[in-house]
Amino acid sequence: MNLIAKILGARSPLTVPAQSVYLLPGESMSLRAALETVACSTDREFVGLCISHYSGYVREAAIGRAVELGGSSSLDSIAKRVNDWVPEVRRAATSALLTLFATVPAEHFAPIIPRLRGLMLATRTDHRSWLFEFERRLVEAGGTKAIVAAMTGTDFRLRRAAFLVAVDHQLLSHNETIELGLNSGDIVLARSAVAMLDRAPVAERAKYIDLAAASPFGPVRLAAFNLISSDKNNSDYEPFLWRATLDSQGSLRTAAARLLAEHGRDVLGHCTALLDAGELTARQVRAGLSLLAELHAPEVVPMLARHADDARAEVRAHVVALQAKISPSLKDEIASRALLDPSRQVRKAGVRLCTCGAFVSLDLIKAVLVQQGDYRAALAVCARDNWDRLTCIALVAELHVSGESDYPDAKEALRRWIEDPTSSWTKPSSEHRVILSNPSAQSRLLDLADDQQPQLRARLREGGIEL
């Protein structure tokens, strides 16, 4: 009852609010009875649910009862109420978390760090001073080990929040924090660590820059490059700059090439020689070709032509994109070649060119269907024109290229075509009529149309095609 009196007295010392609440589904009771139920309950799960109750009185009472019961089961529920819209509930939650340090082992507080760290962005009130005090108390209570362990854990939210706590409260040495961040495999931690490099001891900075330069994350490698390029008198990093010319990060690649060129190095010659040697990985080949294109190298066109038949599909697909960018007047020819490639990855590059304005003939579409059986690519290309779409659907159905009994993609495409009123705004060309007048194609179209056959027949008759 002391708990109830405290809660009610904080708001109205004279009267108890005359209102009913629901603690359990379908069971209405007075507020006083609800508070008494919460205050006397020993069911931790029930008390935890009440911490999220719609009534602020009940939430506050449940937080107080959770503290009395002790244990870690309600920590997350209480943490959610630190930014509650009711000031009294916020105060109860913040006080409860600090009080529970006396009875709950510190490591149990580590999982709620991400939720509490999120309060830095809260606008209802400023939690920063309380949050720093909470984290200080957590460290004093022996939570350092749990926080450091969380920095290498599998939960990325906890890992990132724990890293910030470790930095703010200097739980590790500066060097240990940088090394942990750069080796974490987490881009957020790695970027935070590389931002700390300018405060690392000069004698050890080079080691960490090398570590950042080998990071799997482009922004981290770029940050390492920026540190290197700011030291005009240091030539020890030239090997890194040469590696960076073949980096997958475009901004790093071009910046490294520019810096090397400023020092009189033959970047284009070096890159061309490496590509000609044929010993680069697919990723490096793509980067090298991109660099030649970015620097407008005279040899880029023949170099791309030589790699257009590379055995690696990812290289051929990249060549398609670069050739179209360098020679836009040839994009029709480039798209046609890509669509006939045996690799779906390269054909998708051809489709992208067509969606950006490249044109390929219906004969080429038929060749794609016959040679590669890629009806999805054909349908995507033919989305450019209503009658091209219907013709492609007919070819797909006639040639049995989908390998599926009911051609779900083609059936859906035909349904959309029939229901699209714009398909009647234009007339089919003579080429469309030849294909759509084929009895075999017509039979397949009717099979796909199902109960929409009358609409299909009517639409074709409007275009001068008898079905």
Side-chain angles (χ1 to χ4, degrees):
M1 292 298 293
N2 290 336
L3 176 61
I4 301 172
K6 180 180 178 182
I7 293 171
L8 296 179
R11 291 171 172 77
S12 176
L14 300 177
T15 61
V16 176
Q19 62 186 61
S20 297
V21 297
Y22 290 87
L23 284 186
L24 297 173
E27 293 186 17
S28 176
M29 62 180 70
S30 68
L31 176 60
R32 179 176 291 278
L35 296 179
E36 291 175 350
T37 300
V38 172
C40 298
S41 177
T42 58
D43 186 340
R44 297 177 189 273
E45 183 178 357
F46 170 72
V47 172
L49 291 174
C50 289
I51 293 175
S52 298
H53 194 270
Y54 63 84
S55 168
Y57 290 104
V58 175
R59 293 199 300 277
E60 186 179 359
I63 291 171
R65 184 55 178 163
V67 173
E68 292 175 350
L69 293 175
S72 62
S73 60
S74 295
L75 287 179
D76 189 60
S77 297
I78 297 173
K80 292 178 182 178
R81 305 271 64 86
V82 172
N83 196 42
D84 196 276
W85 56 94
V86 177
E88 289 83 0
V89 178
R90 290 201 298 271
R91 286 195 291 269
T94 54
S95 175
L97 289 177
L98 296 177
T99 302
L100 285 170
F101 277 126
T103 57
V104 178
E107 60 267 21
H108 292 289
F109 288 86
I112 67 172
I113 290 176
R115 183 179 299 282
L116 295 180
R117 267 279 158 171
L119 296 173
M120 298 287 279
L121 303 176
T123 57
R124 183 169 285 129
T125 188
D126 188 347
H127 297 281
R128 285 175 294 182
S129 60
W130 175 85
L131 179 60
F132 194 84
E133 173 65 14
F134 169 83
E135 292 172 349
R136 186 187 66 79
R137 294 275 297 274
L138 175 58
V139 172
E140 288 180 351
T144 299
K145 183 177 180 181
I147 295 171
V148 172
M151 293 167 67
T152 56
T154 57
D155 185 334
F156 76 93
R157 293 182 181 85
L158 177 55
R159 184 170 62 235
R160 294 171 180 179
F163 185 86
L164 294 175
V165 173
V167 171
D168 288 348
H169 295 269
Q170 300 179 358
L171 301 187
L172 299 175
S173 70
H174 197 75
N175 289 0
E176 287 175 324
T177 304
I178 292 174
E179 192 162 349
L180 188 150
L182 292 176
N183 288 322
S184 66
D186 186 312
I187 187 171
V188 173
L189 269 61
R191 294 184 73 168
S192 299
V194 80
M196 300 166 65
L197 284 178
D198 58 348
R199 289 176 281 161
V202 175
E204 299 183 26
R205 191 175 301 170
K207 176 179 70 173
Y208 297 125
I209 290 178
D210 286 340
L211 196 58
S215 171
F217 306 114
V220 177
R221 298 194 300 274
L222 181 59
F225 166 80
N226 290 332
L227 289 169
I228 291 168
S229 61
S230 64
D231 188 355
K232 303 295 184 182
N233 299 318
N234 195 332
S235 60
D236 295 340
Y237 292 111
E238 188 166 322
F240 164 69
L241 296 179
W242 283 117
R243 290 197 306 273
T245 59
L246 296 178
D247 197 277
S248 56
Q249 177 92 349
S251 53
L252 172 57
R253 187 170 59 234
T254 53
R258 183 168 53 251
L259 186 58
L260 286 167
E262 289 174 359
H263 286 80
R265 304 297 188 268
D266 182 9
V267 177
L268 292 180
H270 180 79
C271 183
T272 301
L274 289 176
L275 289 169
D276 284 338
E279 297 179 355
L280 299 178
T281 64
R283 182 187 61 79
Q284 290 173 323
V285 170
R286 294 173 61 186
L289 294 174
S290 292
L291 181 62
L292 293 182
E294 291 156 0
L295 299 180
H296 306 289
E299 58 269 36
V300 65
V301 173
M303 184 64 74
L304 288 173
R306 286 200 292 275
H307 284 84
D309 296 321
D310 194 284
R312 294 162 291 193
E314 60 267 42
V315 172
R316 298 199 304 277
H318 194 63
V319 167
V320 168
L322 289 177
Q323 285 181 324
K325 184 177 181 180
I326 293 172
S327 306
S329 62
L330 300 177
K331 62 184 179 183
D332 294 355
E333 176 186 334
I334 297 167
S336 296
R337 187 186 72 247
L339 287 170
L340 293 176
D341 195 277
S343 168
R344 176 160 173 76
Q345 182 178 0
V346 182
R347 294 197 297 273
K348 288 173 71 174
V351 170
R352 283 193 292 272
L353 290 186
C354 291
T355 58
C356 293
F359 179 82
V360 295
S361 66
L362 284 174
D363 285 340
L364 190 283
I365 295 298
K366 188 170 183 177
V368 172
L369 294 170
V370 172
Q371 296 178 28
Q372 306 303 334
D374 193 345
Y375 73 106
R376 289 186 174 89
L379 288 170
V381 172
C382 288
R384 65 195 179 190
D385 175 85
N386 279 322
W387 289 99
D388 278 352
R389 273 196 295 155
L390 184 61
T391 301
C392 182
I393 296 168
L395 289 172
V396 169
E398 182 182 6
L399 294 170
H400 298 270
V401 296
S402 73
E404 301 174 23
S405 59
D406 56 355
Y407 321 119
D409 289 353
K411 178 175 275 190
E412 175 61 17
L414 179 58
R415 183 192 64 77
R416 290 199 303 268
W417 187 89
I418 293 172
E419 295 176 355
D420 182 4
T422 65
S423 60
S424 62
W425 293 359
T426 58
K427 298 298 180 182
S429 67
S430 58
E431 188 176 10
H432 294 140
R433 288 191 178 93
V434 169
I435 297 174
L436 294 173
S437 297
N438 184 296
S440 177
Q442 292 182 351
S443 175
R444 294 292 179 180
L445 280 177
L446 288 172
D447 289 342
L448 288 176
D450 287 338
D451 57 353
Q452 291 183 310
Q453 288 184 14
Q455 296 96 310
L456 175 61
R457 291 177 185 274
R459 190 64 59 80
L460 288 175
R461 279 196 297 271
E462 291 174 5
I465 302 169
E466 289 298 326
L467 188 61

